[in-house]
Amino acid sequence: MNTAGTIPSAEDIKRVKGLGFLRDKNTKDCFNGRVITRNGKITAAESRAIAEAAERFGNGEIAMTTRLTVEIQHVPYDNIEPMRAFLKEHGLETGGTGPKVRPVVSCKGTTCQYGLIDTYALSREIHDKFFIGWHEERLPHKFKIAVGGCPNNCVKPDLNDIGVIGQRVPAHDMDKCRGCKVCQIEKACPIGASKLGDGKLDFNSEACNHCGRCYQKCPFGVVGAKVQGYAVYIGGRWGKRTAMGRKLDRIFTDKDEVLAVIERALTLFRDQGRQGERFSDTIARLGFEPVQQQLLAD
């Protein structure tokens, strides 16, 4: 079914871009269509449907985008609507472009040995509440959200407009420290925040990134968990211009608090952002502290 046909106008190209179809620069009439996943997860049945769509409406090739959508390659303009109808029959849709919330990404923290939070469950809630729920909301620019299970930052949450990172803040009972020759806490710490010195554990709380690797590693119970939760970063971006996200001054212990902060951030960006500026620009213009006060307000 992948045959040449209608040559789209500039208006056509703009319209279908809003549907998730970006023109293939090597052709006059073909596009690459982005199929939305739930943060990179699809069922086997959905995978078969996408493969069939690629064969019937594209050139049979599929690619993954950096935001974990599935891109069906080389779809002629005349095949766009038939392909969308076919995907809809299988519970799938295209999209993921324009000045709105972009597809949410998450790492494998739910199953990864280092994951501290259920990244799949949280990112699915964010997907439903903001990617779908805010679909008709036009923002000043695109808005990207990522969920990471731990400070390894595999999906680079701090380079997204909003990034959520799993945290385990350690609690130390130094009275239990025996100054072991080989300290299991020091051995477990990947960044050197815990070191044995003068016969006792020396813990640098400023250096600690709350990765949780030291948790319950001491056989005498020196390290437990003080707080298990989420850090939220705002204002990250990656591209022609980059900006490191900055962490809000609170560790959130309830996912509903995280969802509330994301909603406040989107509302602030929608209402106070200027057309064409990214969230990082809005924060820089308004100031981090005033923005933080709004996001943390009860």
Side-chain angles (χ1 to χ4, degrees), residues 230-284:
Y230 316 81
V232 175
Y233 286 73
I234 63 171
R237 65 187 291 181
W238 185 258
K240 295 183 291 296
R241 294 172 54 208
T242 61
M244 290 296 298
R246 185 168 170 182
K247 184 163 69 74
L248 297 178
D249 296 337
R250 183 186 299 175
I251 300 297
F252 300 90
T253 57
D254 187 329
K255 67 177 176 61
D256 289 335
E257 295 177 326
V258 174
L259 295 172
V261 166
I262 295 174
E263 185 159 21
R264 291 189 193 113
L266 282 167
T267 302
L268 185 152
F269 187 45
R270 180 195 63 193
D271 297 344
Q272 301 180 47
R274 292 175 178 171
Q275 186 66 32
E277 73 177 5
R278 290 291 299 273
F279 190 42
S280 60
D281 299 321
T282 304
I283 294 170

Side-chain angles (χ1 to χ4, degrees), residues 93-262:
E93 62 178 339
T94 61
T97 58
K100 55 183 66 178
V101 177
R102 293 296 183 86
V104 182
V105 298
S106 69
C107 72
K108 309 301 180 182
T110 304
T111 56
C112 173
Q113 61 178 320
Y114 300 122
L116 301 174
I117 59 175
D118 188 343
T119 54
Y120 292 156
L122 179 58
S123 59
R124 179 60 188 268
E125 285 199 53
I126 294 171
H127 172 89
D128 291 343
K129 189 173 180 66
F130 302 113
F131 177 76
I132 295 176
W134 278 60
H135 186 265
E136 301 304 320
E137 294 283 352
R138 186 176 180 85
L139 301 173
H141 211 300
K142 58 190 172 185
F143 196 96
K144 298 181 177 181
I145 305 171
V147 179
C150 77
N152 279 354
N153 287 0
C154 294
V155 291
K156 304 175 180 62
D158 51 1
L159 290 175
N160 281 251
D161 297 284
I162 286 276
V164 181
I165 300 176
Q167 300 275 276
R168 180 179 284 149
V169 182
H172 293 79
D173 186 348
M174 292 304 185
D175 291 337
K176 295 180 179 178
C177 180
R178 301 188 182 186
C180 301
K181 187 175 181 180
V182 178
C183 175
Q184 296 302 315
I185 300 173
E186 179 181 32
K187 189 177 178 181
C189 182
I191 58 174
S194 293
K195 295 183 178 179
L196 194 64
D198 296 328
K200 285 284 186 178
L201 182 69
D202 182 13
F203 173 63
N204 184 343
S205 61
E206 295 298 319
C208 179
N209 66 358
H210 309 152
C211 70
R213 303 278 189 91
C214 62
Y215 178 64
Q216 294 185 336
K217 287 296 190 296
C218 175
F220 305 107
V222 171
V223 178
K226 181 180 180 180
V227 176
Q228 178 93 21
Y230 316 81
V232 175
Y233 286 73
I234 63 171
R237 65 187 291 181
W238 185 258
K240 295 183 291 296
R241 294 172 54 208
T242 61
M244 290 296 298
R246 185 168 170 182
K247 184 163 69 74
L248 297 178
D249 296 337
R250 183 186 299 175
I251 300 297
F252 300 90
T253 57
D254 187 329
K255 67 177 176 61
D256 289 335
E257 295 177 326
V258 174
L259 295 172
V261 166
I262 295 174

